[in-house]
Amino acid sequence: MAEITAAAVKELRERSGAGMMDCKKALSENSGDMEAAVDWLRTKGLAAAAKKSSRTAAEGLVGVAVAGTKGAAVEVNSETDFVAKNDQFQAFVREVTEVALEAGDDVDAIKGAKLASGKTVEEALTNNIATIGENQSIRRAKRLEVSQGAVIPYVHNAAAPGLGKIGVLVALESDAGVDVLEPLGKQLAMHIAAAFPLALNADDLDQDVIARERAVAHEKAAESGKPAEIVEKMVDGAVKKFAKENALLSQLFVMDNKTPIADVVAKAGKDAGTTIVLKDYVRFQLGEGIEKEESDFAAEVAATAGIKK
């Protein structure tokens, strides 16, 4: 039997777009013959993924799931919103979200995990691409956990239970009962969905983002023509205001637009006679940060028909 090298698997994977284990099996089945392995993948419908892998996948679904004191959120992308309504695709997103509860944030670890069917997540993904006919990808995942308390899930405008375009998890550390934590977590999650905080607190804000805000604020302040020391105070004030408005704990609660989130949590704890800590949160919005290709459908049809516009 021919030795199957990692380099050969890598080459076949790049040529076919199929999963690593599929490529290894294809080479094994064909005594290491690269061209025969490519044909083998094609006959199995696995190389179909390669032709679709260059397409932008900015649609799809965000899934959220909770088990005990753990919660997970995942984003699985597809090319069109139509696929997001497909039962097979929705079932896959649910399965991947359940896997993330144990596998955590690492997408590669999630892809390598086994499903109830016996297939790995990556094998199921490749099968989805081949059978549904669109490029799909597991973009990101995040797991939250508390030692005691609750992780509360929320999906804004859910397409199906636990699935939608904006998914939120709120991790509350406390010995308070679920009758206290769940309604509080739901309100906080709805705030997070609407207010889009960038970090839990000001210290956690991305320093590159802060640097950009400082540069913009400096440029604006400099146009005032005021002395340098005044300009610097104006810049510091602008950056402080940005941090306050974008850190969750200092944001004003959308329900009343006057109470900082930190105070909302503190009051809930005081009313319950215990301490409640907003430990962490996740907010996944479908496709955020993805540059979606704009297509001219008429031009595509004309090109396919060989018609010059």
Side-chain angles (χ1 to χ4, degrees), residues 192-267:
I192 291 165
F196 199 171
L198 300 180
L200 182 63
N201 54 59
D203 290 341
D204 294 334
L205 287 166
D206 189 322
Q207 291 307 301
D208 288 339
V209 172
I210 294 295
R212 285 197 298 272
E213 286 301 316
R214 180 170 290 277
V216 170
H218 192 280
E219 187 173 336
K220 287 181 178 179
E223 291 175 355
S224 70
K226 294 182 179 180
E229 62 272 18
I230 301 298
V231 166
E232 285 307 311
K233 287 182 180 179
M234 292 170 66
V235 170
D236 288 343
V239 172
K240 187 176 180 180
K241 181 174 183 287
F242 174 85
K244 182 179 179 180
E245 291 176 348
N246 288 280
L248 175 57
L249 289 173
S250 56
Q251 284 184 327
L252 298 182
F253 193 28
V254 294
M255 301 295 182
D256 64 13
N257 203 34
K258 65 179 182 181
T259 310
I261 291 297
D263 292 350
V264 172
V265 177
K267 184 179 184 303

Side-chain angles (χ1 to χ4, degrees), residues 54-305:
S54 63
R55 299 182 192 166
T56 302
E59 297 292 342
L61 288 168
V62 171
V64 295
V66 170
T69 53
K70 292 189 293 189
V74 300
E75 179 181 352
V76 183
N77 297 127
S78 61
E79 290 179 55
T80 66
D81 186 53
F82 180 76
V83 168
K85 300 170 184 175
N86 178 288
D87 289 342
Q88 179 180 336
F89 182 77
Q90 290 188 357
F92 175 72
V93 177
R94 283 197 187 90
E95 286 185 302
V96 173
T97 309
E98 293 292 333
V99 167
L101 284 168
E102 298 303 323
D105 305 353
D106 190 313
V107 171
D108 287 335
I110 291 171
K111 287 182 178 179
K114 291 271 189 177
L115 298 173
S117 65
K119 290 183 178 180
T120 65
V121 170
E122 185 166 25
E123 288 169 341
L125 177 63
T126 301
N127 181 66
N128 272 8
I129 295 170
T131 56
I132 295 176
E134 279 194 13
N135 185 32
Q136 296 159 44
S137 65
I138 302 169
R139 186 186 179 202
R140 53 182 173 166
K142 183 70 176 178
R143 181 180 65 187
L144 300 184
E145 187 170 4
V146 292
S147 57
Q148 62 173 345
V151 177
I152 295 91
Y154 171 70
V155 178
H156 184 66
N157 289 338
L163 304 173
K165 294 193 175 184
I166 298 178
V168 178
L169 294 173
V170 175
L172 297 174
E173 188 95 51
S174 178
D175 59 7
V178 292
D179 59 321
V180 172
L181 298 180
E182 285 193 358
L184 173 62
K186 178 72 175 296
Q187 285 195 325
L188 294 174
M190 292 172 70
H191 167 93
I192 291 165
F196 199 171
L198 300 180
L200 182 63
N201 54 59
D203 290 341
D204 294 334
L205 287 166
D206 189 322
Q207 291 307 301
D208 288 339
V209 172
I210 294 295
R212 285 197 298 272
E213 286 301 316
R214 180 170 290 277
V216 170
H218 192 280
E219 187 173 336
K220 287 181 178 179
E223 291 175 355
S224 70
K226 294 182 179 180
E229 62 272 18
I230 301 298
V231 166
E232 285 307 311
K233 287 182 180 179
M234 292 170 66
V235 170
D236 288 343
V239 172
K240 187 176 180 180
K241 181 174 183 287
F242 174 85
K244 182 179 179 180
E245 291 176 348
N246 288 280
L248 175 57
L249 289 173
S250 56
Q251 284 184 327
L252 298 182
F253 193 28
V254 294
M255 301 295 182
D256 64 13
N257 203 34
K258 65 179 182 181
T259 310
I261 291 297
D263 292 350
V264 172
V265 177
K267 184 179 184 303
K270 185 177 179 180
D271 291 346
T274 188
T275 301
I276 300 175
V277 176
L278 175 49
K279 184 179 179 183
D280 206 351
Y281 77 96
V282 175
R283 182 191 189 277
F284 279 177
Q285 182 165 339
L286 182 67
E288 60 187 342
I290 298 177
E291 290 189 13
K292 190 173 180 181
E293 295 175 356
E294 296 296 331
S295 62
D296 184 337
F297 184 68
E300 288 182 13
V301 173
T304 303

Side-chain angles (χ1 to χ4, degrees), residues 35-50:
E35 297 303 324
V38 170
D39 289 342
W40 186 90
L41 287 168
R42 291 179 63 192
T43 61
K44 299 294 183 182
L46 298 173

